[in-house]
Amino acid sequence: MKRVHARAQSADQSVYTVAGALAAVCLTLSTATCAAVSATAAGPAPLALWFDHPAQDWETESLPIGNGALGATVQGGITRDILQFNEKTLWTGGPASKQNGPRGYDFGLPREPRHQALAQMRAALAEKGQLAPQAVAKVLGNPITAYGNYQSFGDLVLEFPAADTVADYRRALDLDNGTASVSYTAGGAHYTREYLASYPDEVIAVHLRADRPGHIQFRAQLQIPDNRSAEVHIQDQRVTISGALDDNGLGYETQLQLIADGGEVTTKEDGSFTVAGADSATLLIAAGTEYAAEYPQYRGQNPHRMVQARMDRASRKVHRHGYPVLRAAHVKDYRNLFARVNLNLTGATETQIRKRDVPIDQRLDHYGAGDTTSDRALEELYFQFGRYLLISSSRDGSLPANLQGVWNNSATPPWNADYHANINLQMNYWPAEVTNLSETTGPLFDFIDSLQKPGAVAAEKLLGARGWTLFLNTNIWGFTGVIDWPTAFWQPEAGAWLADHYYEHYRFNLDKTFLRERAYPVMKGAAQFWLDSLVPDPRDGKLVVSPSYSPEHGNFTIGAAMSQQLVHELLTNTRAAASLLGDSAFVDELNGTLENLDPGLRIGSWGQLQEWKSDLDDPENQHRHVSQLYALFPGEGIGPHTPDLQEATRTSLKARGDVGTGWSRAWKIALWAHLDNGDRAHRILAAQLKDSTLPNLWSTHPPFQIDGNFGATAGMAEMLIQSDDRHIQLLPALPDAWNSGSVTGLRARGDVTVDMAWHNQQLQRATLVSGNDRNIQIKLQDAGPFTLRDSDSGKVLALRGKGNTRAFTARAGKSYLLTRTTHKKSLQ
């Protein structure tokens, strides 16, 4: 698959760090303030979540590991441990599915164009104003055929001798190193199992050791679900299981390699290994399928050579150099992404944090009970857990993170564990750019690229338009049409929303090659679809979306707010890209449409931002979707530059309330952050942790749905930094609960990396590094005073502007230190 160009700064190449800034900061601060800044800038305590017992339930207590394509969940049983694992491309359904029947897999598209049916619905809406979802679905919906489900690949089952007594049990996930572990003492020996999913070596690894030689004894076997054929082959302490899914014949293969240090190994015909008397042992798992993201068949090569090559490389490394070398490669690769951002909200020392180090389920139970240091430490952990999950479920060469990331233990998971494009898939990638994980967007762009061909068929068949689109649901089989679920089948704006992710990637990284070669063709195709699909509103002549549906809420109408906002943003961004790339003809075409396009921004009778073009909003309705507020976040149509509209969003958000499902609460965190209300955002974050978070920190809808994790991490970042093409806002929504703290490595649009430290709710210093020569304009909490220095030389530089808006000229690669200046008397 293609790789995304990115300029994100690596942990090992950081130009400027908090610790390095302290000397300069302390020159300008009082002794007490300097000590406080030093405490918060010293870095957080080690990031880990742990249980004091094996998992009793997969959904609520599993500990996840992953490398993008492969995922596994650690259960940690003492006498029987199950490592359930996944590989992203193992799906039922699709073109070869036996469930297709006489109609065959149809990508969600009708056999004949639906142009007449579309015209019928548009005419009915023009006449009546509203239509029930059931009525529209009956005409425009399509029965689902062989949509498919994401599958569990299998289980690695480890069986151990019974122990009379077990002590000091700990099952942990170490976010700093991307590893999970189980440890305990039994029979006079201390046992440790470590689990990791390596991106560089493309395997899952389990390493077993004891603090006494010859004490490793276990039986290992792969177990494969019964909805597929399975042929077992054993050679040289490697078991290979291959076959095909019963539903669609999709070929798969997995291999398990055992490498034991000492002891005796016995292999049985059932594919199991028995190890006795070893000093340590390593188990490696590789897996893959014959899936290829190529329309219309989605089949590639038999996976044997690919899986064999991966296992050969990994096992050779362990045989020759030992497990620590494979582990070191994993940790280095993982930390190159994860370690870019540190968040410290406690101001506590590592020792103080460790005193509060209790099992994660207990930490959640105690959250909000009065121990503020423990609460802030849990919030830090939750923020970084979202980043960990994104790294673990979205790396180059794999499919994007789905509704459960990469983790699933069922043949029929909730919502198929698919891709919902009316917010959920998009929310998965909200934290990618701002929390310095730009590279994780590669799978998303590869996936959207693969939807272009089937999306073009959908555009023509359903709306008679050029370009491409998709609707609400999609799978790995190019599903770009519609289903027939009345309240969740119609959102042709999904293509517009996904295309905007390309432009966001450009705005953060300013990679013009990416814009020209990857982003613009997709954006232009999505824009062409809307140039052909918009229609004049009979009420005022403005160009609108019809039929239009505000996600999962109300009736079908003409020109619902979210529909109009998404299309307006797409056409505006595409015009900007076309102008940058010199496509003047398309700029002119877009100008003609934008001049008459309804932007979807209206203030209603009770001061609310209207969800529909007609004033239909009910102030008592607390529906989980707040789709009309898209223009506030993640869009940019509403902000300080539109104070009346900004106040209307506040009114709407208050009316909807703070309650919601996991992903809904996560969105509200970001929305309140963009209304500069950090305390309200933090209150919803607290509710997210108390009511929408499972004991293993997975977000729940319910059930488990990972977008809430990603959305909450993004929302926390938006509380600390916001940016657009004009300025960078520092600490825009800092809550009282985060009185003092620091953060390093956040990213702003314009290719700028930002570190900050604050005390008593006031910014004390910020370090900014730009990837290009540019003018940087900063919005601050207050007027200061502030001083700007060259970080290398300490030389004071010109800082233009007054009030809380300041600007300076940055050079590419240079680091600039902004510090709050105090009078010399305060130094005494």
Side-chain angles (χ1 to χ4, degrees):
M1 292 184 175
K2 302 173 186 174
R3 293 187 176 270
V4 176
H5 299 284
R7 297 180 182 173
Q9 159 184 315
S10 75
D12 295 333
Q13 297 173 331
S14 178
V15 178
Y16 202 74
T17 64
V18 177
L22 286 176
V25 175
C26 289
L27 290 174
T28 61
L29 302 180
S30 68
T31 302
T33 302
C34 179
V37 173
S38 299
T40 56
L47 293 162
L49 54 149
W50 63 280
F51 290 90
D52 59 5
H53 59 269
Q56 304 300 310
D57 176 72
W58 180 90
E59 181 183 19
T60 62
E61 294 189 341
S62 291
L63 294 178
I65 58 173
N67 69 359
L70 291 170
T73 49
V74 176
Q75 314 297 303
I78 296 169
T79 58
R80 180 179 170 87
D81 188 7
I82 298 176
L83 186 76
Q84 183 270 323
F85 66 99
N86 297 93
E87 197 276 340
K88 278 248 197 71
T89 64
L90 190 68
W91 268 70
T92 57
S97 175
K98 295 176 182 177
Q99 300 178 30
N100 289 340
R103 295 181 61 226
Y105 179 70
D106 57 14
F107 301 88
L109 301 170
R111 291 187 179 278
E112 301 298 329
R114 286 278 179 83
H115 307 165
Q116 186 174 353
L118 177 67
Q120 175 188 341
M121 290 295 94
R122 284 174 170 169
L125 284 168
E127 177 185 352
K128 300 177 181 179
Q130 300 183 53
L131 291 173
Q134 293 80 1
V136 181
K138 186 176 181 180
V139 177
L140 294 180
N142 202 53
I144 303 174
T145 61
Y147 185 83
N149 288 282
Y150 181 42
Q151 299 292 295
S152 172
F153 218 103
D155 297 333
L156 171 62
V157 180
L158 302 176
E159 296 176 334
F160 301 90
D164 292 335
T165 59
V166 173
D168 303 322
Y169 181 93
R170 182 182 177 102
R171 180 170 57 94
L173 179 63
D174 181 349
L175 302 189
D176 284 314
N177 293 318
T179 61
S181 63
V182 170
S183 62
Y184 58 89
T185 299
H190 188 71
Y191 296 90
T192 302
R193 305 173 210 153
E194 186 171 67
Y195 314 76
L196 60 84
S198 169
Y199 180 71
D201 286 304
E202 301 179 284
V203 294
I204 294 167
V206 183
H207 184 66
L208 304 95
R209 66 183 186 275
D211 64 353
R212 296 176 64 182
H215 272 60
I216 296 301
Q217 183 172 332
F218 64 94
R219 178 180 180 272
Q221 184 174 27
L222 286 176
Q223 294 185 354
I224 302 298
D226 60 7
N227 64 350
R228 64 203 68 169
S229 62
E231 181 179 331
V232 180
H233 177 72
I234 307 168
Q235 184 177 3
D236 298 328
Q237 296 183 9
R238 181 183 301 185
V239 59
T240 298
I241 303 179
S242 59
L245 294 177
D246 296 340
D247 171 70
N248 58 11
L250 182 72
Y252 76 89
E253 180 165 309
T254 182
Q255 296 187 7
L256 172 67
Q257 177 75 59
L258 169 66
I259 304 168
D261 179 15
E264 182 179 345
V265 177
T266 304
T267 304
K268 294 187 178 181
E269 292 183 359
D270 62 0
S272 66
F273 300 120
T274 300
V275 178
D279 295 336
S280 66
T282 301
L283 294 158
L284 304 175
I285 300 173
T289 77
E290 63 178 342
Y291 171 82
E294 297 175 1
Y295 173 82
Q297 298 302 323
Y298 296 92
R299 287 294 197 275
Q301 299 293 319
N302 182 290
H304 174 69
R305 287 187 178 180
M306 172 184 67
V307 174
Q308 181 93 351
R310 290 172 179 173
M311 184 59 82
D312 285 348
R313 286 194 300 269
S315 60
R316 189 181 306 119
K317 177 180 285 189
V318 176
H319 272 297
R320 291 178 178 177
H321 307 291
Y323 167 76
V325 173
L326 183 139
R327 183 188 192 276
H330 159 73
V331 171
K332 180 180 180 181
D333 167 78
Y334 168 78
R335 285 192 57 78
N336 183 53
L337 294 170
F338 184 79
R340 293 171 180 173
V341 173
N342 285 322
L343 175 64
N344 189 350
L345 302 175
T346 66
T349 66
E350 181 177 326
T351 300
Q352 290 172 320
I353 294 295
R354 286 191 183 279
K355 288 181 179 179
R356 295 173 170 86
D357 186 23
V358 297
I360 188 61
D361 49 346
Q362 296 179 32
R363 292 181 71 176
L364 277 171
D365 286 343
H366 297 161
Y367 179 79
D371 187 339
T372 57
T373 298
S374 179
D375 288 351
R376 300 297 83 77
L378 182 59
E379 290 162 8
E380 293 171 8
L381 181 68
Y382 190 60
F383 170 83
Q384 293 286 28
F385 185 61
R387 297 182 67 245
Y388 167 83
L389 292 175
L390 187 55
I391 296 168
S392 301
S393 62
S394 189
R395 298 293 301 270
D396 273 344
S398 69
L399 290 163
N402 60 40
L403 280 173
Q404 294 184 179
V406 64
W407 301 279
N408 166 48
N409 72 333
S410 172
T412 55
W415 303 287
N416 315 94
D418 70 353
Y419 301 97
H420 276 44
N422 67 338
I423 188 171
N424 311 97
L425 174 57
Q426 291 90 337
M427 184 180 282
N428 284 0
Y429 288 89
W430 284 0
E433 302 292 352
V434 68
T435 72
N436 214 333
L437 296 176
S438 190
E439 295 90 333
T440 63
T441 59
L444 177 66
F445 299 140
D446 289 338
F447 184 63
I448 300 170
D449 287 351
S450 76
L451 295 174
Q452 301 301 291
K453 289 182 180 179
V457 180
E460 196 286 321
K461 274 199 168 184
L462 290 174
L463 284 96
R466 296 172 296 163
W468 71 277
T469 196
L470 73 159
F471 288 77
L472 195 146
N473 313 74
T474 190
N475 57 19
I476 71 169
W477 310 115
F479 192 96
T480 52
V482 294
I483 61 174
D484 56 1
W485 188 265
T487 58
F489 86 99
W490 186 266
Q491 195 187 8
E493 308 86 26
W497 194 343
L498 290 175
D500 273 334
H501 278 254
Y502 287 79
Y503 196 61
E504 277 295 278
H505 183 79
Y506 166 73
R507 293 175 70 201
F508 271 92
N509 298 288
L510 298 185
D511 184 341
K512 204 165 183 179
T513 300
F514 172 83
L515 181 67
R516 180 185 300 106
E517 297 179 1
R518 294 290 305 273
Y520 186 60
V522 173
M523 294 172 67
K524 186 172 183 177
Q528 287 172 327
F529 170 79
W530 285 109
L531 293 178
D532 291 354
S533 300
L534 294 166
V535 295
D537 190 331
R539 295 168 291 186
D540 60 12
K542 289 290 186 180
L543 292 174
V544 289
V545 178
S546 179
S548 173
Y549 191 65
S550 193
E552 303 183 43
H553 190 209
N555 286 331
F556 274 75
T557 63
I558 296 173
M562 189 185 206
S563 299
Q564 299 303 131
Q565 292 169 19
L566 281 166
V567 174
H568 187 273
E569 182 175 77
L570 169 71
L571 299 189
T572 301
N573 288 345
T574 305
R575 178 175 62 182
S579 180
L580 281 168
L581 298 174
D583 190 350
S584 57
F586 201 58
V587 169
D588 293 341
E589 190 174 355
L590 290 165
N591 281 336
T593 296
L594 282 165
E595 287 172 5
N596 201 36
L597 179 64
D598 189 320
L601 301 172
R602 284 178 178 77
I603 300 174
S605 57
W606 45 279
Q608 88 281 15
L609 191 75
Q610 291 181 199
E611 186 168 357
W612 299 276
K613 189 165 182 176
S614 297
D615 195 346
L616 305 173
D617 301 79
D618 178 357
E620 302 301 318
N621 187 302
Q622 293 194 335
H623 195 274
R624 65 190 179 279
H625 280 268
V626 284
S627 304
Q628 70 272 31
L629 306 188
Y630 174 87
L632 177 65
F633 182 86
E636 295 179 0
I638 296 174
H641 58 291
T642 57
D644 292 345
L645 292 171
Q646 190 176 45
E647 186 58 33
T649 63
R650 194 185 313 274
T651 299
S652 290
L653 200 51
K654 285 180 179 178
R656 285 291 167 90
D658 296 347
V659 177
T661 61
W663 68 264
S664 177
R665 278 192 167 109
W667 193 2
K668 290 175 182 177
I669 294 169
L671 288 167
W672 279 114
H674 277 259
L675 290 171
D676 299 339
N677 191 331
D679 289 333
R680 189 72 174 260
H682 185 265
R683 190 166 84 195
I684 299 173
L685 171 64
Q688 175 96 335
L689 283 164
K690 291 294 289 183
D691 302 327
S692 297
T693 300
L694 299 170
N696 60 1
L697 294 190
W698 269 344
S699 178
T700 181
H701 180 70
F704 162 46
Q705 192 172 300
I706 205 168
D707 43 19
N709 288 106
F710 296 138
T713 292
M716 293 176 73
E718 296 293 328
M719 294 163 71
L720 298 172
I721 189 170
Q722 295 171 23
S723 63
D724 54 31
D725 294 331
R726 299 179 299 277
H727 59 258
I728 300 169
Q729 191 170 358
L730 305 183
L731 305 181
L734 192 66
D736 289 344
W738 297 353
N739 180 62
S740 298
S742 65
V743 66
T744 65
L746 294 181
R747 295 276 290 166
R749 291 167 181 85
D751 193 15
V752 178
T753 304
V754 180
D755 299 349
M756 292 178 285
W758 62 93
H759 180 60
N760 288 337
Q761 294 291 118
Q762 288 190 325
L763 179 72
Q764 299 301 320
R765 64 102 194 128
T767 304
L768 298 94
V769 180
S770 176
N772 57 88
D773 294 349
R774 58 165 296 174
N775 181 64
I776 294 179
Q777 185 164 292
I778 310 169
K779 286 186 68 175
L780 300 160
Q781 301 164 296
D782 56 68
F786 291 95
T787 300
L788 182 72
R789 288 184 171 87
D790 181 303
S791 297
D792 296 326
S793 67
K795 180 182 178 181
V796 176
L797 304 174
L799 188 61
R800 304 186 300 274
K802 58 183 179 179
N804 68 339
T805 302
R806 305 297 174 85
F808 67 95
T809 301
R811 299 298 178 215
K814 295 285 290 182
S815 177
Y816 300 89
L817 174 64
L818 181 76
T819 57
R820 182 177 294 275
T821 307
T822 59
H823 295 294
K824 290 185 178 180
K825 289 183 180 181
S826 67
L827 297 175
Q828 300 175 357

